[in-house]
């Protein structure tokens, strides 16, 4: 697991110890409102550093993030030196806050979403050689540095054995289709427009053939890297849900091959247009040949696809002993407000 030393978390120091530690660095102690007392570094340091604990020699700490993003302007999740990617944006923010380089952070995402694909529940983890007593300040700082299209929804401490990609139990993707004669401009970047009236019942019948454990070679595009992935995947459910003009396809599986979801959606679109019968799905799965799918359907465009959630076993998400509380973002409240004029 990345060759990291075991994670160790320290409990928040008592008031006296915090004051002594703060005095030693020329700062002072503050209460963060939840029982955590943190030493504040001298003026000039970032606000996120206020909750940082002292580094414990040889220790390594792992952190889990849940991330949402509008993928329209980005070249996918995976880090690339020049084009804007989600991973690159998050690493830049973390580098500024932690003062660590990307190799030290070891940021890993649960799924490598493509250019234009969106997410509500992407999961990633990163590591630091120091802990935090409280995560709210760091959470606010990260979102303050990220572009508005990307937001970290949660930050929590993670077990040393947790891995955002290899520990997954299942992933859920949604694909949105706007099924109306005139496209709603407010869905332009977030749903595929089908002006053809789709037969949703035929699509449901076809989707049933995807459920189960199959060899999905026919639905996988070639991958230009050294990773060799098994084409055997299990689909737990594939639902076709009508919500007014929106037709939402919901797919849950143990894992997915490169562009597998978009290729499955493309075939269902052809069935929905009544260009192909529902049992074509079973025939193309059995063929185990990407060329067979290419004869009847092109890949569906990326902007209708969302990574909605990544699921793990409950015990894998249990925080280590002494870890700081999970951060869901800082809530701002006004204790007293007087409106003099309307």
């Amino acid at each position: 697991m990345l060759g990291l030393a075991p994670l160790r978390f320290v409990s928040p120091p008592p008031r006296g110890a915090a004051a002594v530690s703060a005095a030693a660095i020329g700062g002072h102690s503050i209460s963060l409102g939840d029982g955590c007392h943190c030493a504040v570094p001298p003026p000039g340091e970032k606000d996120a550093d206020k909750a940082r604990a002292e580094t414990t020699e040889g220790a390594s700490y792992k952190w889990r993030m849940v991330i949402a993003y509008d993928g329209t302007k980005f070249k996918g999740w995976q880090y690339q030196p020049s084009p804007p990617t989600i991973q690159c944006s998050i690493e830049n923010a973390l580098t500024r806050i932690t003062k660590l380089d990307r190799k030290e952070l070891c940021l890993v995402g649960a799924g490598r979403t493509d250019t234009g694909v969106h997410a509500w529940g992407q999961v990633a983890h990163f590591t630091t050689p120091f802990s935090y007593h409280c995560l709210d300040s760091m959470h606010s700082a990260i979102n303050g540095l990220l572009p508005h299209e990307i937001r970290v929804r949660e930050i929590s401490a993670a077990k040393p054995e947790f891995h955002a990609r290899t520990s997954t139990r299942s992933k859920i993707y949604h694909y949105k289709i706007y099924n109306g004669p005139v496209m709603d401009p407010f869905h332009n970047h977030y749903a595929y427009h089908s002006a053809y009236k789709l037969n949703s019942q035929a699509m449901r019948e076809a989707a049933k053939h995807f459920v189960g454990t199959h060899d999905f070679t026919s639905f996988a595009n070639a991958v230009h890297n050294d990773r060799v992935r098994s084409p055997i995947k299990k689909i737990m459910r594939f639902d076709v849900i009508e919500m007014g003009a929106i037709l939402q396809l919901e797919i849950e599986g143990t894992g997915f091959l490169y562009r597998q979801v978009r290729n499955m959606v493309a075939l269902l679109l052809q069935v929905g247009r009544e260009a192909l019968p529902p049992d074509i799905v079973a025939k193309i799965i059995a063929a185990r040949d990407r060329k067979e799918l290419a004869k009847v359907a092109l890949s569906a465009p990326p902007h209708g696809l969302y990574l909605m959630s990544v699921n793990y076993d409950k015990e894998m998400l249990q925080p280590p002993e002494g870890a700081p509380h999970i951060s869901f973002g800082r809530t701002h409240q006004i204790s007293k407000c007087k409106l003099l004029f309307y």
Side-chain angles (χ1 to χ4, degrees), residues 111-179:
R112 299 179 179 182
T113 53
D114 291 337
T115 299
V117 175
H118 314 296
W120 172 248
Q122 172 72 283
V123 175
H125 76 257
F126 67 97
T127 59
T128 61
F130 46 78
S131 182
Y132 287 89
H133 292 321
C134 306
L135 294 172
D136 287 346
S137 294
M138 182 178 71
H139 193 173
S140 295
I142 291 173
N143 282 335
L145 291 169
L146 287 170
H148 68 270
E149 295 93 348
I150 307 173
R151 281 295 172 266
V152 174
R153 293 172 48 214
E154 300 175 22
I155 300 181
S156 62
K159 291 182 175 181
E161 59 268 27
F162 174 81
H163 192 281
R165 186 176 67 248
T166 61
S167 299
T168 59
R169 183 171 56 83
S170 70
K171 295 177 183 176
I172 298 176
Y173 282 90
H174 287 182
Y175 195 93
K176 294 182 185 292
I177 302 164
Y178 190 85
N179 195 197

Side-chain angles (χ1 to χ4, degrees), residues 30 39-52 92-99 132 137-138 140-142 144-145 330:
I30 62 169
V40 181
E45 293 292 328
K46 296 293 184 183
D47 180 63
D49 291 336
K50 294 179 182 179
R52 182 186 294 184
N92 287 342
L94 288 173
T95 296
R96 291 183 60 181
I97 292 167
T98 65
K99 311 300 189 294
Y132 287 89
S137 294
M138 182 178 71
S140 295
I142 291 173
L145 291 169
R330 185 178 281 166

Side-chain angles (χ1 to χ4, degrees), residues 27-42:
H28 58 282
S29 176
I30 62 169
S31 171
L32 297 186
D34 58 356
C36 295
H37 295 270
C38 307
V40 181

Side-chain angles (χ1 to χ4, degrees), residues 241-292:
I241 301 171
E242 292 181 87
M243 302 183 296
I246 293 290
L247 198 62
Q248 183 164 286
L249 311 185
E250 300 184 1
I251 309 101
E252 181 175 5
T254 54
F256 298 92
L257 301 169
Y258 180 52
R259 294 197 178 176
Q260 179 184 337
V261 175
R262 289 165 58 189
N263 289 330
M264 292 191 297
V265 169
L267 186 56
L268 288 191
L269 282 168
Q270 291 293 77
V271 172
R273 291 165 183 155
E274 300 181 339
L276 296 169
D279 63 0
I280 190 67
V281 173
K283 294 176 181 178
I284 292 181
I285 289 175
R288 302 183 196 176
D289 186 348
R290 178 68 179 84
K291 294 178 182 178
E292 291 302 307

